Amino acid sequence: MHHEHHLKSSDTIRDIVIGMSDGLTVPFALAAGLSGAVNSSHIVVTAGIAEIVAGSIAMGLGGFLAGRTEADHYAAELKREYDEVERVPEEEKQEVMEVFADFGLSVALQQQVADEMAKDKHKWVDFMMRYELGLEEPLANRATQSAVTIGASYVVGGIIPLSPYFFTASSQMALYYSCGITMICLFIFGYFKSKVTGQPAFSGAIKVLFIGALAAAAAFIMAKLINGGF
């Protein structure tokens, strides 16, 4: 028996990727930058935790607003489609025929399908939403789920680069451990993200690793320049 394997829960995976990628990168860059300016892990930890809290809230709120916008847009278009099948049914039938024309169906068959579909208003509208507008109905509580997933993923990602600073008084020494741990996590995260999304795993891991390292290096060098360290 043939089984097809397709990616499911893509919205949740997308939210995890958004939260984790920013969570690993932004606090890592902040910690690296502060380590270039001060030699106190306590200051780095304080600033890092504050950034993780603020960042997770901001990212979660962004996810919530995006989810609400998607739901509101779908509801508005759904209302418009119901109104159109009531007011201008022949024009809507023509639009159905145009969709099937793209599949190579004959005009007679297009007309037959359109007439048959028009017998059920709800299925008709659902068809138009999917194939004319390319819209899928958002899941219930999608906005809240997105906010929680992105926010939690940001926190998890942010704690990783900050963790060495909890155990090492010198921020300079903690930075070395943070770089090692975060680079490994960025590579692993990039690898599995690429695998899940069907991209080349190794090159995807290298890209994520490079972006994180570049952000941290830029923050560290900038802090050193401002403080006259070079």
Side-chain angles (χ1 to χ4, degrees), residues 89-126:
E90 293 305 317
E91 291 183 14
E92 290 299 293
K93 282 185 181 181
Q94 185 61 41
E95 290 177 357
V96 172
M97 293 175 64
E98 290 172 0
V99 172
F100 283 104
D102 291 336
F103 288 99
L105 273 64
S106 66
V107 175
L109 191 53
Q110 293 170 28
Q111 186 67 59
Q112 182 180 349
V113 171
D115 290 339
E116 191 69 27
M117 189 172 294
K119 295 178 181 178
D120 189 325
K121 182 170 64 175
H122 301 298
K123 290 183 178 179
W124 188 8
V125 169
D126 182 62

Side-chain angles (χ1 to χ4, degrees), residues 46-205:
T46 302
I49 291 177
E51 194 287 325
I52 290 173
V53 171
S56 64
I57 293 173
M59 293 287 291
L61 181 60
F64 179 82
L65 293 176
R68 286 304 311 164
T69 299
E70 181 182 359
D72 291 344
H73 175 62
Y74 183 88
E77 291 296 330
L78 184 67
K79 182 177 181 298
R80 184 176 66 83
E81 283 298 329
Y82 270 111
D83 178 62
E84 288 180 351
V85 298
E86 291 287 350
R87 291 189 301 103
V88 286
E90 293 305 317
E91 291 183 14
E92 290 299 293
K93 282 185 181 181
Q94 185 61 41
E95 290 177 357
V96 172
M97 293 175 64
E98 290 172 0
V99 172
F100 283 104
D102 291 336
F103 288 99
L105 273 64
S106 66
V107 175
L109 191 53
Q110 293 170 28
Q111 186 67 59
Q112 182 180 349
V113 171
D115 290 339
E116 191 69 27
M117 189 172 294
K119 295 178 181 178
D120 189 325
K121 182 170 64 175
H122 301 298
K123 290 183 178 179
W124 188 8
V125 169
D126 182 62
F127 177 86
M128 299 304 291
M129 293 294 288
R130 289 170 181 265
Y131 294 99
E132 181 196 13
L133 302 178
L135 296 176
E136 293 283 346
E137 183 177 6
L139 297 175
N141 300 319
R142 169 66 193 144
T144 302
Q145 292 173 3
S146 180
V148 172
T149 303
I150 292 176
S153 298
Y154 190 94
V155 172
V156 172
I159 289 296
I160 292 172
L162 202 62
S163 57
Y165 293 89
F166 287 100
F167 307 104
T168 307
S170 170
S171 63
Q172 301 292 325
M173 183 61 65
L175 177 61
Y176 297 134
Y177 292 114
S178 179
C179 286
I181 294 171
T182 308
M183 292 296 103
I184 293 171
C185 290
L186 282 169
F187 183 87
I188 294 173
F189 170 72
Y191 182 88
F192 282 105
K193 183 195 77 169
S194 301
K195 287 280 285 185
V196 167
T197 55
Q199 305 300 314
F202 184 78
S203 61

Side-chain angles (χ1 to χ4, degrees), residues 9-39:
S9 302
S10 59
D11 289 339
T12 300
I13 292 172
R14 181 198 64 189
D15 291 342
I16 292 173
V17 168
I18 291 172
M20 281 290 291
S21 59
D22 279 11
L24 281 167
T25 304
V26 177
F28 180 40
L30 174 65
L34 288 173
S35 297
V38 300
N39 193 29

